[in-house]
Amino acid sequence: MRMGPAELVQAAAMARRFYLEGKSKIQIAEEFGVSRFKVARVLETALERDLVRIEIRVPAELDAERSDALRARYGLRHAVVVESPAEEQEDAPDPENLGEVAADLLGELVNEGDVLGLAWGRSTIHMAAALDRLPPCTVVQLTGVYDAGTAERGSVEAVRRAAQVSGGEAHPIYAPMLLPDPATAAALRNQTGIARAFEYFDKVTVAAVSIGSWEPGISTVHDMLSDEERAHYASLGVAAEMSAHLFDAQGRRVGRDLGERCITVEADRLRRIPEVVAIAGGQRKAAAIGAVLRSGLVTSLVTDTAAADFLLTESAAGTRPALERADPDTV
């Protein structure tokens, strides 16, 4: 039915009180001498008749719809999807804007007194470089570095940068991620500086990690191994790598012997960290991201639309790995 001029004026006035002035329906009812049910009906009619328009706006680079769908699909605590570059190359690394968005997310998640853990990865390094706010917290390195000769430009510098922004302590690890044999790795873990960093692993409350697919240039560990070793782990069905842990397509850990040669946080410790944020995107990493999400080690994800579109077509019905934190090997 058409609204008369008095009804239109009243509806506009009530809508102004409710949406712009923040008054409750009871307060509006008292002012206009009607019931709160009448106010509710008038406000509903105002929306239906286009007297009121509600817009939900987020920055253009964020995709709110995909973010919410991804969060629900995988049971993530937080999912943030950014627009992929207009002309994304199939062999491109993670978009750099993932690091910038992840830096803002850490600013929300980290509280004063927390212990922030940073694992090696290009995306975590970009994130640390983009940090401009963090509450006072301790920052600890969760893995060794890709190349000890580049430590000043890699994860060691990322830990220092985060600690500088927060005003907290930094606990870097000056050691390679992958060693020639388990004995060498064990000896390094016992060195004073590295052992001190490892002591903080059980205290980490928020961690940031990267994800790689099992192919050249996309997985740090893949690039550090010999051709024979790569073939061996590929035969085990490796689909993804995170912090030197290998996963098959279902999120089960494979090639666990590799961990004995690595300086990295153990998977069981990662699973106990309350908030683990993975930063990864791009078409080439999409399947690997899905595998790691199914591992139950990750609670939140910063990714791009290219990866999100793939993840949203995968079957994840009935599973909420990020909330359940369940190990696929034990279920």
Side-chain angles (χ1 to χ4, degrees):
M1 293 178 62
R2 202 174 97 183
M3 297 177 72
E7 291 177 309
L8 286 168
V9 170
Q10 184 185 68
M14 288 183 176
R16 186 178 298 108
R17 303 289 194 280
F18 185 74
Y19 292 109
L20 300 183
E21 299 175 12
K23 291 188 176 180
S24 70
K25 293 174 184 176
I26 292 176
Q27 289 174 316
I28 297 170
E30 290 175 352
E31 178 182 347
F32 286 86
V34 297
S35 71
R36 62 186 177 89
F37 302 105
K38 171 68 179 294
V39 173
R41 287 196 299 272
V42 171
L43 292 175
E44 184 178 343
T45 301
L47 284 171
E48 292 173 352
R49 300 297 175 86
D50 212 23
L51 290 177
V52 175
R53 295 181 183 179
I54 299 175
E55 286 188 292
I56 299 173
R57 291 185 178 182
V58 295
E61 70 270 16
L62 299 182
D63 191 310
E65 186 175 348
R66 284 186 176 91
S67 298
D68 188 55
L70 199 59
R71 179 199 57 76
R73 173 68 66 98
Y74 289 90
L76 293 160
R77 291 203 184 100
H78 305 281
V80 182
V81 178
V82 305
E83 290 289 341
S84 300
E87 297 182 1
E88 182 189 11
Q89 301 296 319
E90 189 175 335
D91 59 348
D94 293 329
E96 289 194 19
N97 59 344
L98 292 187
E100 297 170 3
V101 173
D104 286 340
L105 179 60
L106 278 194
E108 293 182 60
L109 299 180
V110 176
N111 296 306
E112 183 173 350
D114 276 349
V115 177
L116 171 62
L118 299 181
W120 158 265
R122 297 179 185 90
S123 55
T124 52
I125 291 170
H126 289 151
M127 178 206 68
L131 283 170
D132 59 10
R133 63 184 177 97
L134 271 181
C137 64
T138 299
V139 186
V140 60
Q141 193 170 323
L142 296 179
T143 65
V145 299
Y146 175 43
D147 180 350
T150 64
E152 296 303 311
R153 302 188 301 276
S155 46
V156 169
E157 179 56 30
V159 169
R160 286 177 170 172
R161 167 66 182 167
Q164 180 184 28
V165 172
S166 74
E169 295 181 2
H171 294 276
I173 293 177
Y174 295 96
M177 181 188 294
L178 180 66
L179 282 304
D181 54 70
T184 304
L188 274 178
R189 291 190 202 103
N190 289 325
Q191 287 189 358
T192 303
I194 297 174
R196 187 177 298 116
F198 268 64
E199 289 173 0
Y200 275 92
F201 286 0
D202 286 328
K203 304 174 185 177
V204 173
T205 50
V206 181
V209 299
S210 295
I211 295 172
S213 55
W214 196 245
E215 54 184 311
I218 306 296
S219 165
T220 300
V221 172
H222 179 282
D223 292 346
M224 289 191 287
L225 295 172
S226 67
D227 290 341
E228 183 179 354
E229 290 170 324
R230 291 170 188 159
H232 165 66
Y233 290 116
S235 72
L236 301 179
V238 175
E241 177 260 318
M242 180 182 70
S243 302
H245 300 295
L246 309 181
F247 306 88
D248 67 12
Q250 282 68 50
R252 295 185 294 257
R253 289 182 58 212
V254 295
R256 298 189 182 211
D257 60 305
L258 183 66
E260 298 174 5
R261 296 169 50 195
C262 293
I263 303 297
T264 186
V265 60
E266 299 94 326
D268 290 341
R269 279 176 159 172
L270 262 179
R271 200 180 303 279
R272 293 195 295 268
I273 296 174
E275 185 74 78
V276 179
V277 181
I279 312 160
Q283 295 178 26
R284 289 181 66 180
K285 285 191 177 183
I289 296 169
V292 173
L293 290 181
R294 282 185 282 277
S295 75
L297 293 174
V298 168
T299 61
S300 297
L301 175 67
V302 178
T303 190
D304 67 345
T305 52
D309 285 343
F310 175 88
L311 293 168
L312 289 171
T313 62
E314 285 197 313
S315 175
T319 65
R320 297 170 65 81
L323 289 180
E324 296 165 359
R325 306 301 294 275
D327 186 344
D329 288 332
T330 62
V331 297

